[in-house]
């Protein structure tokens, strides 16, 4: 599965500088092509720091490193360098499914051994990896006689900026990433302004910090995005914002149950702290830095999972057409579990069969079924959520055996749903039986959910406790040949390289907000920001493909804030190996010409070309489908209409393609006329050029088949 074409470990330099404390002995590592340089040194007080240059200009200025601990002295000054070693690496590996098949992993590594000069003499490594598209660095704490456990009160990693960048950010919420992005100057970031705006089942925004990925654009055209890679058994990192000094400092997610934020036994290493640095927006999306900083596949053969499009008993609940629960009634102003059917339950055998039939007829591989199991009567708003959800027992009107065998006959797979309601102990207890049940019925993907405040109380979604919950669930699921798509998740940090069964996740304001949010849903600029922020972290289960954009028959005050053409474009723009066709069967059947695109579009890619883009404004991406060699192109814009000129020089010179173009019609507009869609067929080859007009909140999608 993975091929290592070349693994070159060359000791380029070994700089022995034990005992030196002058600022003259800067240790430097360049990226392979030399556009990025990291410099490391210790100041006169023994404080370690680094700087980063991009194209010979300082991109990250003197930034100090360190830790505070509970029960022991901080590590931040009085430190000396014992050794430093640079090695060059050039290899490639294969994604079992992904944005591309072969990933180049080329970097130079600088490994520095540090030691305290004073009595305690604790040691640690700082390791930098310099790539041509950014850097990653982490701390490694080796085994040592006088130090066996660390209670990390705070990590003191700084990122000092050299410009008051235009910044695309969400607040450093410890519980949820489902916020709209703000676009402000760095000096104007105000995370606290979100507190009044959120109306979520869980949210905790402690100070002026941002969540990652946070993306910035400079006057010269430099693009930076800050994030982390390989978040394992550690707390998620938010970034504290110092608007006066243009500085970010790590601020780990904590817990109300401990006075420290992370507990580790030595030896251990932290996640990688990452900075993607490019000179154009499109290269941020093309960057593989985050996955490259993760370990290779540890779970072996994953051929039991196949990327797929899926439909589901889902949007209808968000629209209020049906319910998750089977028998809840409002009696005297209170929700009461009557145990009797109220007749609105969505996950019935019959309804699911209609989705199976539709999927089978339209080249869609999966059907998600939410609300199939008991517990939904008490899933939200209740404090005592432990013991409520049952991941084995279906409601009386849902026959799991019948549904899964009917699906199998039709070549469709049922996608399991586990809404844990953030009651972690209940979920943990049932995981083995629940995953074994899935395996028994031939179900290989589960959508999990963590709505609500975490139980046990005092824990946050993004703290060390929950990081372990999410990771352990996925690792266990793999042993039952189950792939995981978590909602209300911990952020993606490239772990899909190590555990490919972590297929996708939410972790942003998804399509569902358009169905019910009181603030008008996701504005047209949302996804042109998401493509350059959240999407840099990894696959997104956004659930595109809503055709009935206004759905006035269900909710008059809500709508999707894009054109229909943009809904199609999202199948290409947003990457996920599970891609939902979210709308109701009847809405697809009413528009077979647009549905043809969903039917044709791929979900697994040989290669990806990011054609053009500007953060927050627009983006166009082309992807070549594995096996067929067909190409698909998607482009989206914010509230500003624009013309995009497409250059097809990425196509195979020898081939010509029949291209079906789905674009905004002349009167299209996300609000006034979202359904104006024009479909045309042309022949395209590598020397073709095409001007496409995108409406306000619009987009286009092209499917190209070899002639
Ligand atoms: C929130 C998820 O994002 C959504 O997709 C799901 O339908 C509900 N929770 C219920 O689990
Ligand atoms: Ca959600």
């Amino acid at each position: 599965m993975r091929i290592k074409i070349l693994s070159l470990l060359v000791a380029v330099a070994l700089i022995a500088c034990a005992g030196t404390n002058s600022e003259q002995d800067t240790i430097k590592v360049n990226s392979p092509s030399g556009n990025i340089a990291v410099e490391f040194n210790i100041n006169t007080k023994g404080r370690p720091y680094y700087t980063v240059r991009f194209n010979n200009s300082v991109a990250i200025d003197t930034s100090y490193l360190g830790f505070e601990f509970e029960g022991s002295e901080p590590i931040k000054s009085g430190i000396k360098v014992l050794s430093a070693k640079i090695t060059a690496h050039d290899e490639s590996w294969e994604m079992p499914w992904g944005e591309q098949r072969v990933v180049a992993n080329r970097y130079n590594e600088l490994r520095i051994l540090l030691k305290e000069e004073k009595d305690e003499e604790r040691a640690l490594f700082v390791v930098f990896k310099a790539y041509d598209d950014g850097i990653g660095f982490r701390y490694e704490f080796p085994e040592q006689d006088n130090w066996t456990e660390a209670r990390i009160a705070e990590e003191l990693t700084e990122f000092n900026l050299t410009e008051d960048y235009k910044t695309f950010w969400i607040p450093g919420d410890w519980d949820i990433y489902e916020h709209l992005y703000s676009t402000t100057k760095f000096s104007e970031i105000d995370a606290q302004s979100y507190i009044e705006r959120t109306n979520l089942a869980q949210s905790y925004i402690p100070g002026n910090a941002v969540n990652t990925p946070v993306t910035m654009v400079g006057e010269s055209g430099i693009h930076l995005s800050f994030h982390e890679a390989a978040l394992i058994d550690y707390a998620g990192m938010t970034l504290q914002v110092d608007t006066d000094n243009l500085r970010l400092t790590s601020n780990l997610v904590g817990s109300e149950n401990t006075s420290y934020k992370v507990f580790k036994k030595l030896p251990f290493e932290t996640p990688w702290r990452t900075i993607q640095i490019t000179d154009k927006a499109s290269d941020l999306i093309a960057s593989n830095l985050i996955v490259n900083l993760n370990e290779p596949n540890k779970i072996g053969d994953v051929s039991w999972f196949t990327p797929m499009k899926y439909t589901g008993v889902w949007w209808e609940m968000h629209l209020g057409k049906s319910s998750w629960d089977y028998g809840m009634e409002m009696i005297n102003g209170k929700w009461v579990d009557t145990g009797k059917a109220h007749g609105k339950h969505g996950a019935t055998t019959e309804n699911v069969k209609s989705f199976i039939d539709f999927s089978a007829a339209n080249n869609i591989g999966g059907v998600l079924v939410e609300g199939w199991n008991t517990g939904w009567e008490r899933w939200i708003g209740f404090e005592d959520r432990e013991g409520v959800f049952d991941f084995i027992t279906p409601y009386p009107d849902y026959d799991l055996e019948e549904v899964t065998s009917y699906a199998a006959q039709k070549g469709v797979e049922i996608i399991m749903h586990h809404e844990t309601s953030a009651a972690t102990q209940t979920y943990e207890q049932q995981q083995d039986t629940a995953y074994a049940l899935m395996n028994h019925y031939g179900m290989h993907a589960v959508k999990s959910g963590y709505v609500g405040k975490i139980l046990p109380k005092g824990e946050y979604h993004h703290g060390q406790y929950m990081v372990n919950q999410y990771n352990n669930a996925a690792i266990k699921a793999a042993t039952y040949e189950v792939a995981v798509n978590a909602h209300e998740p911990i952020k993606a940090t490239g772990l899909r390289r190590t555990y490919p069964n972590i297929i996708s996740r939410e972790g942003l304001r998804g399509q569902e907000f358009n169905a019910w949010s009181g603030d008008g849903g996701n504005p047209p600029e949302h996804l042109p920001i998401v493509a350059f922020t959240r999407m840099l972290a990894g696959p997104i289960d956004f659930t595109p493909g809503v055709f009935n954009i206004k759905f006035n028959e269900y909710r008059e005050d809500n709508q999707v804030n894009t054109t229909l053409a943009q809904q199609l474009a999202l199948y290409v723009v947003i990457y996920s190996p599970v891609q939902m066709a979210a709308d109701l069967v009847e809405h697809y059947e009413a528009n077979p010409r647009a549905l043809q695109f969903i039917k044709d579009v791929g979900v697994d890619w040989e290669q990806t070309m990011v054609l053009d883009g500007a953060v927050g404004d627009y983006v166009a991406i082309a992807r070549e489908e594995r096996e067929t060699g067909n190409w698909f192109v998607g482009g989206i814009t914010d509230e500003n209409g624009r013309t995009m000129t497409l250059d097809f020089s990425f196509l195979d010179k020898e081939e010509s393609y029949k291209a079906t173009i789905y674009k905004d019609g002349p009167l299209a507009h996300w609000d006034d006329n979202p359904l104006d869609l024009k479909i045309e067929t042309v022949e395209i080859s590598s020397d073709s050029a095409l001007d496409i007009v995108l409406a306000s909140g619009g987009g286009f999608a092209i499917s190209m088949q070899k002639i």
Side-chain angles (χ1 to χ4, degrees), residues 655-677:
E655 304 279 351
S656 57
Y657 298 79
K658 179 185 151 220
T660 311
I661 305 171
Y662 302 74
K663 60 183 183 183
D664 294 319
L667 301 176
H669 180 276
W670 67 271
D671 195 19
D672 302 337
N673 199 355
L675 300 182
D676 185 14
L677 177 75

Side-chain angles (χ1 to χ4, degrees), residues 178 488 506 512:
E178 297 181 18
E488 299 77 49
E506 189 188 41
E512 63 188 32

Side-chain angles (χ1 to χ4, degrees), residues 314 318 324 370 376 417 419 447 451 487-488 506 512:
W314 179 76
H318 288 270
W324 283 275
E370 293 201 3
W376 288 92
H417 185 232
E419 174 53 68
K447 170 179 169 179
V451 172
H487 279 227
E488 299 77 49
E506 189 188 41
E512 63 188 32

Side-chain angles (χ1 to χ4, degrees), residues 95-98 302-310 363-366 413 415 445 483 500 503 575-579 601-605 625-626:
M95 290 182 156
W97 44 79
V302 284
S303 58
W304 41 264
F305 172 79
T306 313
M308 60 180 150
K309 290 167 277 189
Y310 70 99
N363 187 33
I364 295 174
E413 203 174 302
I415 299 177
I503 44 174
Y575 171 68
S576 175
V578 282
Q579 195 73 284
V601 70
V603 272
D604 191 19
W605 312 106
E625 190 180 20
R626 292 197 196 182

Side-chain angles (χ1 to χ4, degrees), residues 139-423:
Y139 308 87
E140 298 180 6
F141 296 82
E143 204 173 330
Q144 39 207 295
D145 293 342
N146 53 349
W147 196 18
T148 53
E149 288 178 356
R151 287 177 176 76
I152 300 173
E154 196 54 273
E155 182 184 315
L156 307 172
T157 301
E158 290 182 357
F159 306 88
N160 262 294
L161 309 177
T162 55
E163 188 181 329
D164 191 7
Y165 292 115
K166 184 179 184 184
T167 305
F168 299 83
W169 58 275
I170 54 170
D173 197 317
W174 285 14
D175 255 329
I176 195 103
Y177 308 109
E178 297 181 18
H179 294 286
L180 286 177
Y181 282 84
S182 280
T183 307
T184 67
K185 287 191 151 197
F186 183 85
S187 60
E188 286 160 5
I189 293 175
D190 177 12
Q192 292 295 300
S193 68
Y194 277 81
I195 290 178
E196 277 151 36
R197 281 196 263 158
T198 62
N199 182 21
L200 296 158
Q202 72 269 350
S203 177
Y204 179 63
I205 304 172
N208 197 19
V210 294
N211 252 309
T212 70
V214 54
T215 298
M216 303 181 192
V217 183
E219 293 290 344
S220 66
I222 187 177
H223 287 68
L224 300 119
S225 189
F226 298 83
H227 190 46
E228 59 182 308
L231 173 53
I232 300 167
D233 192 18
Y234 203 82
M237 177 182 72
T238 72
L239 294 171
Q240 184 73 36
V241 173
D242 178 342
T243 51
D244 295 334
N245 296 303
L246 305 183
R247 181 187 303 139
L248 293 163
T249 309
S250 55
N251 193 350
L252 302 176
V253 173
S255 156
E256 301 299 311
N257 302 324
T258 51
S259 46
Y260 48 87
K261 292 181 169 179
V262 171
F263 173 78
K264 299 293 295 186
K265 282 195 188 314
L266 275 69
F268 74 94
E269 66 256 335
T270 68
W272 295 95
R273 279 57 188 97
T274 64
I275 316 172
Q276 282 156 294
I277 314 173
T278 64
D279 46 24
K280 49 182 201 293
S282 51
D283 286 347
L284 284 179
I285 297 177
S287 165
N288 286 310
L289 183 81
I290 305 296
V291 272
N292 271 333
L293 286 168
N294 280 267
E295 297 282 310
N297 180 343
K298 282 192 180 158
I299 59 172
D301 174 42
V302 284
S303 58
W304 41 264
F305 172 79
T306 313
M308 60 180 150
K309 290 167 277 189
Y310 70 99
T311 59
V313 182
W314 179 76
W315 187 236
E316 58 181 78
M317 282 93 135
H318 288 270
L319 290 180
K321 180 188 173 191
S322 69
S323 70
W324 283 275
D325 66 281
Y326 172 78
M328 193 157 79
E329 266 177 55
M330 181 78 105
I331 299 173
N332 298 332
K334 273 195 170 167
W335 290 108
V336 177
D337 179 1
T338 60
K340 279 185 278 167
H342 52 40
K344 260 190 104 180
H345 183 221
T348 66
T349 302
E350 197 196 344
N351 192 23
V352 173
K353 280 185 171 176
S354 76
F355 277 95
I356 295 171
D357 292 339
F358 173 78
S359 297
N362 289 288
N363 187 33
I364 295 174
V367 176
L368 165 73
V369 185
E370 293 201 3
W372 68 278
N373 58 326
T374 61
W376 288 92
E377 281 71 18
R378 302 206 315 157
W379 81 289
I380 206 167
F382 288 87
E383 287 285 303
D384 55 342
R385 282 169 280 121
E386 289 290 9
V388 169
F389 268 116
D390 176 321
F391 305 96
I392 291 118
T393 312
Y395 281 125
D397 54 352
Y398 184 63
D399 189 332
L400 194 53
E401 171 81 50
E402 189 178 334
V403 162
T404 48
S405 65
Y406 185 77
Q409 277 165 37
K410 299 254 173 175
V412 169
E413 203 174 302
I414 300 293
I415 299 177
M416 177 48 93
H417 185 232
H418 291 164
E419 174 53 68
T420 70
S421 69

